[in-house]
Amino acid sequence: MSVITVLDKSVSELIAAGEVIEKPASVIKELVENSIDAGAKRITVEIKNGGTTFMRIVDDGCGMSAEDVPKAFLRHATSKVREKIDLENIHTLGFRGEALASVSAVSRVTVLTKRREDALGSQYEIAGGDGVPVEECGCPDGTTLIIKDLFFNVPARRKFMKKDVAEGNAISQIIQKIAISHPEIAFKFIRDNKLDFHSDGTGELIEAIHAVYGKDFARDLIPVEYEQDGISVKGYVIKPLYAKNNRSFQNFFVNGRYVKSKSCSVALESAYENLLMTGKFPACVIMLDMPADSLDVNIHPSKAEVRFSEEKKVIDAIYFAVKNAFLKNGLIYEFQTKKADWYGGAPQPEYAQKPLIPEAPVPVSRPEIPERTPQFQPLNQEDMPFQIDLPQPSGYMDKEPEEPKPIYHVREPLPRSVTVPDSFIDIEPEPEDFDSESVPIVPASPVPETQSAPVPIQAEYPDPVFPPEKEMFKDIQVIGELFGNYITAQSGDNMIIIDKHAAHERVIFEQLRHDNCQQYRQKLLAPCKVLLTLDEFSAMEENPELLDRLGFDFDFSEKPYLTANAAPYFFSEMNLEEIIQEIAHNLYLGKVNPQSRALEDTLHELACKSAIRANDKNSIQELQKLAERVCQDENIRHCPHGRPVMFVLSKYQLEKEFKRIV
């Protein structure tokens, strides 16, 4: 039998350091969090070779006194916790006193620090846990930490390091997450002597998101603000149409700390159910603010995870916060118009690349264009009437439609000649390597006629500001139908285009979900007995009314076995046991909508088969009724498969495209 011995201090410190410091990104995370706790307003991080050979963190925080510098590198030395009760009320990012001790145990560290009230600062060097005496030095207010040769004394850990690019990317992601969680702090990240990322520290969350993910991502977000049971939820979520291919863009922050939480992801994705296309995941930046004693941040060595004392309240708060954001901001999508090739847009297809004016050179001052008569065929009166007088589906309308009156589109006579304005000249395309995001776009001033220079490319049109849905969708008037599937309607100064199949499919799906599935209930010849965990069984037992609306009839007398005596008939060819287990698990997780995926898919299929289809013959009255239902019901913005139901094109956008507004 082996003899038990106490590990040497140098060995035990290496083991402890290995739990906190896994890679260079772990070092940056711990030290940047210390800078934030020190009250820094500007933090600069610089690395070389992915951080393996050199890392520097500079902040303008409170600094340390000469007496405190050596203490800071002792294990479990901290200024943030004094007594046992303090562990139940932690408001700082760091608190265990392990970061500096762990970093110094596996690298060579130099620290320069100075308090504002001190005339001189302090310099301290420590390598492998062994330090030298503190010396006075001149340095700016705050703290500068320089870490060199990470894992120089742990070759086994060093050989498992990834390539420099991968390690540098991990550091960049950590800094970006922290920059989002603290938009009031200005961050700068320098990688191999090049500026990789920076944020301005204005305090606006949307500006921090813009700095990290870019303008396109920020433009597709809608704000979230909600409070329930003492839990505050703020931030932004992405519109369902612009969902991502994975969960990498889901960012959750609890009391300013970035965390990975399966419960938060479950709540978020529950709010997006039936709004996303297959294989898509929602993106978000959600800030949770809750009492410190309602969560445990001390369950993970790197503090990357937290445990909630009342998990269901957190799930409900996120779910209702996102749902309220959808209802408040709407899910209306505007058309994204692109510029034509002749003023700096994308190339046109071959059939559209014919010159709009003769290819002969035209002077800038006064182009002389030969008169050209447009070629067109005159309209016959027989071709002009536009009407829909077609049979209606049974049961779709309450009464037979009246005979619609013919609708005529009267065209204005086209001019016999075309004149080209003086300002219409050729414009050179932008260079391919031009980065439009790195240079602010400024509206161009007009060029005088006498100036022989190309007209500058004008700025992109600003995104239209839509009014609230209730104002936007007043007095809906259906005009007609495009391509047998798209309803065109007008409301005020907006043109609305609706996918009639997707819209009708969503209408039926909502009826199936909210008008209950009791109408599909059928007695089972052989009752289905399902074994559940005690928690799942209790969750089912506490929700009899909900299960009844789903079309089930359960017997709870044989705990923990649950017996299904009746179920919706469309489950006859499915594995009923798996469906019940999924519903029970969803109820246990606290999902507001606990339906199983199989039930959702079945309702999707029923709705899809029952809905009107493209090229179905529908009257104007039918289309009018469907358009009114879509515009009045804020739940009908996506079909059950996640496709958008409508798009809006404003009068402002049209007039911009037709150059009626300059």
Side-chain angles (χ1 to χ4, degrees):
M1 183 176 179
S2 58
V3 178
I4 297 176
T5 60
V6 178
L7 288 175
D8 184 78
K9 179 183 176 182
S10 60
V11 178
S12 63
E13 286 188 350
L14 288 177
I15 295 174
E19 295 179 355
V20 178
I21 307 302
E22 301 176 5
K23 52 188 177 181
S26 304
V27 176
I28 297 298
K29 176 182 181 296
E30 297 291 343
L31 299 185
V32 170
E33 287 181 349
N34 280 352
S35 296
I36 295 173
D37 289 340
K41 294 301 179 183
R42 305 189 70 85
I43 300 175
T44 300
V45 178
E46 182 180 359
I47 66 168
K48 294 180 181 178
N49 301 320
T52 56
T53 60
F54 180 86
M55 290 179 279
R56 176 162 52 196
I57 299 92
V58 182
D59 68 60
D60 60 352
C62 63
M64 294 181 286
S65 65
E67 296 78 16
D68 286 343
V69 173
K71 294 180 184 178
F73 288 87
L74 299 177
R75 193 162 298 280
H76 305 306
T78 177
S79 61
K80 302 154 190 174
V81 175
R82 290 286 187 271
E83 301 175 356
K84 180 176 65 175
I85 195 172
D86 293 338
L87 293 174
E88 300 177 2
N89 195 30
I90 294 174
H91 294 279
T92 55
L93 298 177
F95 56 89
R96 283 189 262 184
E98 292 184 277
L100 291 176
S102 298
V103 172
S104 64
V106 294
S107 63
R108 310 180 198 277
V109 180
T110 300
V111 58
L112 303 170
T113 182
K114 176 183 174 295
R115 298 183 299 179
R116 289 174 176 80
E117 60 269 23
D118 295 336
L120 293 174
S122 305
Q123 178 176 335
Y124 181 65
E125 296 182 3
I126 182 172
D130 298 325
V132 299
V134 178
E135 297 179 356
E136 287 188 341
C137 70
C139 61
D141 296 340
T143 301
T144 299
L145 279 160
I146 302 173
I147 299 94
K148 297 181 179 179
D149 302 329
L150 185 64
F151 298 129
F152 77 96
N153 53 351
V154 192
R157 177 63 65 87
R158 191 179 183 89
K159 72 178 182 180
F160 284 100
M161 300 273 286
K162 297 180 180 179
K163 293 182 178 180
D164 292 350
V165 173
E167 297 292 354
N169 290 341
I171 294 174
S172 180
Q173 291 176 5
I174 289 291
I175 296 174
Q176 290 175 359
K177 294 284 192 298
I178 298 177
I180 291 176
S181 65
H182 292 81
E184 74 282 0
I185 301 177
F187 287 88
K188 184 181 293 185
F189 176 47
I190 302 171
R191 190 198 308 205
D192 295 323
N193 300 321
K194 296 181 180 178
L195 181 63
D196 187 87
F197 163 79
H198 74 92
S199 64
D200 295 332
T202 60
E204 296 293 334
L205 178 58
I206 191 63
E207 293 189 15
I209 296 173
H210 183 282
V212 172
Y213 292 119
K215 64 178 182 181
D216 291 335
F217 182 88
R219 181 190 59 207
D220 298 334
L221 299 175
I222 57 177
V224 173
E225 188 168 358
Y226 185 76
E227 187 170 353
Q228 176 178 307
D229 297 326
I231 301 172
S232 172
V233 183
K234 295 183 180 180
Y236 294 87
V237 294
I238 201 163
K239 291 185 177 181
L241 182 61
Y242 309 116
K244 304 302 179 182
N245 295 327
N246 52 57
R247 295 185 176 90
S248 301
F249 294 92
Q250 293 183 6
N251 301 279
F252 298 99
F253 303 88
V254 179
N255 293 351
R257 185 192 308 275
Y258 171 72
V259 299
K260 298 177 182 178
S261 173
K262 184 177 180 180
S263 300
C264 294
S265 292
V266 167
L268 176 70
E269 293 175 15
S270 295
Y272 276 83
E273 279 186 353
N274 307 311
L275 298 176
L276 299 178
M277 299 183 69
T278 303
K280 296 294 185 178
F281 299 89
C284 70
V285 175
I286 289 181
M287 305 286 189
L288 292 172
D289 190 10
M290 62 182 67
D293 58 359
S294 64
L295 71 155
D296 186 358
V297 299
N298 197 22
I299 64 172
H300 193 275
S302 61
K303 305 183 290 292
E305 299 177 7
V306 295
R307 181 186 292 120
F308 303 107
S309 60
E310 294 181 288
E311 193 171 47
K312 188 177 186 302
K313 288 185 177 181
V314 176
I315 292 176
D316 288 349
I318 295 176
Y319 177 88
F320 288 114
V322 178
K323 282 295 186 183
N324 282 358
F326 290 161
L327 294 176
K328 183 178 180 180
N329 298 280
L331 295 176
I332 306 303
Y333 301 105
E334 66 272 15
F335 278 108
Q336 300 292 331
T337 55
K338 294 184 179 180
K339 299 178 182 179
D341 184 49
W342 43 272
Y343 57 103
Q348 294 178 295
E350 292 183 1
Y351 65 81
Q353 291 182 352
K354 297 180 181 179
L356 299 177
I357 57 176
E359 297 182 358
V362 181
V364 175
S365 59
R366 190 71 183 177
E368 296 189 12
I369 308 301
E371 185 177 280
R372 185 176 66 180
T373 302
Q375 300 296 323
F376 65 95
Q377 295 293 334
L379 296 176
N380 296 324
Q381 288 295 328
E382 298 177 355
D383 299 328
M384 293 179 64
F386 177 81
Q387 66 180 24
I388 299 180
D389 186 13
L390 303 167
Q392 68 178 61
S394 59
Y396 180 65
M397 294 186 62
D398 298 332
K399 60 181 180 179
E400 291 292 327
E402 299 177 359
E403 183 71 13
K405 298 180 180 179
I407 300 176
Y408 293 86
H409 290 282
V410 181
R411 298 189 178 185
E412 295 290 335
L414 295 176
R416 305 300 298 178
S417 62
V418 178
T419 57
V420 180
D422 299 346
S423 60
F424 187 93
I425 61 174
D426 293 334
I427 297 178
E428 298 181 1
E430 295 184 23
E432 293 183 358
D433 58 350
F434 178 75
D435 184 7
S436 61
E437 294 187 12
S438 62
V439 180
I441 300 176
V442 180
S445 56
V447 179
E449 288 188 359
T450 57
Q451 183 176 346
S452 60
V455 177
I457 300 173
Q458 293 185 354
E460 294 183 1
Y461 306 139
D463 293 334
V465 178
F466 289 110
E469 289 190 20
K470 293 182 180 179
E471 298 180 8
M472 180 188 297
F473 296 140
K474 284 183 177 179
D475 302 325
I476 304 296
Q477 179 184 358
V478 171
I479 299 172
E481 191 174 1
L482 291 173
F483 312 121
N485 190 47
Y486 301 101
I487 304 171
T488 59
Q490 179 180 344
S491 176
D493 288 339
N494 294 293
M495 182 179 77
I496 304 168
I497 300 182
I498 301 172
D499 184 328
K500 71 177 184 181
H501 171 72
H504 195 207
E505 184 180 0
R506 185 69 190 204
V507 169
I508 297 174
F509 178 72
E510 291 296 325
Q511 290 175 344
L512 290 175
R513 293 177 66 200
H514 297 102
D515 293 347
N516 309 331
C517 292
Q518 293 171 332
Q519 56 185 316
Y520 306 110
R521 179 181 297 165
Q522 180 175 313
K523 203 78 172 177
L524 298 177
L525 294 177
C528 178
K529 184 177 289 189
V530 183
L531 175 63
L532 303 175
T533 66
L534 293 178
D535 291 330
E536 292 172 346
F537 186 92
S538 299
M540 296 284 278
E541 195 174 23
E542 293 169 1
N543 292 274
E545 294 181 0
L546 187 147
L547 298 174
D548 183 63
R549 292 204 314 270
L550 293 179
F552 290 96
D553 179 26
F554 289 113
D555 180 7
F556 297 92
S557 61
E558 300 181 51
K559 188 176 183 178
Y561 286 92
L562 186 67
T563 303
N565 296 318
Y569 74 86
F570 40 73
F571 285 140
S572 58
E573 298 182 0
M574 302 181 186
N575 190 326
L576 186 58
E577 182 177 348
E578 290 183 359
I579 293 172
I580 295 172
Q581 288 175 340
E582 186 178 357
I583 293 175
H585 187 65
N586 288 341
L587 276 175
Y588 165 65
L589 291 177
K591 293 179 66 173
V592 179
N593 179 17
Q595 300 181 28
S596 72
R597 178 58 57 189
L599 178 58
E600 291 282 349
D601 292 342
T602 303
L603 296 181
H604 290 176
E605 186 176 353
L606 289 174
C608 186
K609 290 181 178 179
S610 304
I612 56 178
R613 298 183 176 277
N615 298 317
D616 280 356
K617 307 303 182 182
N618 305 109
S619 67
I620 284 287
Q621 286 83 356
E622 291 176 318
L623 301 180
Q624 177 74 31
K625 185 173 182 179
L626 179 58
E628 291 175 354
R629 173 66 190 273
V630 169
C631 294
Q632 292 168 4
D633 191 342
E634 296 177 342
N635 291 319
I636 306 175
R637 295 294 175 261
H638 295 78
C639 79
H641 306 290
R643 294 188 298 270
V645 164
M646 70 165 68
F647 281 89
V648 174
L649 181 61
S650 67
K651 179 182 177 182
Y652 174 84
Q653 286 177 291
L654 280 173
E655 292 184 340
K656 270 290 188 180
E657 292 300 318
F658 283 106
K659 306 305 175 189
R660 290 181 176 273
I661 297 178
V662 179

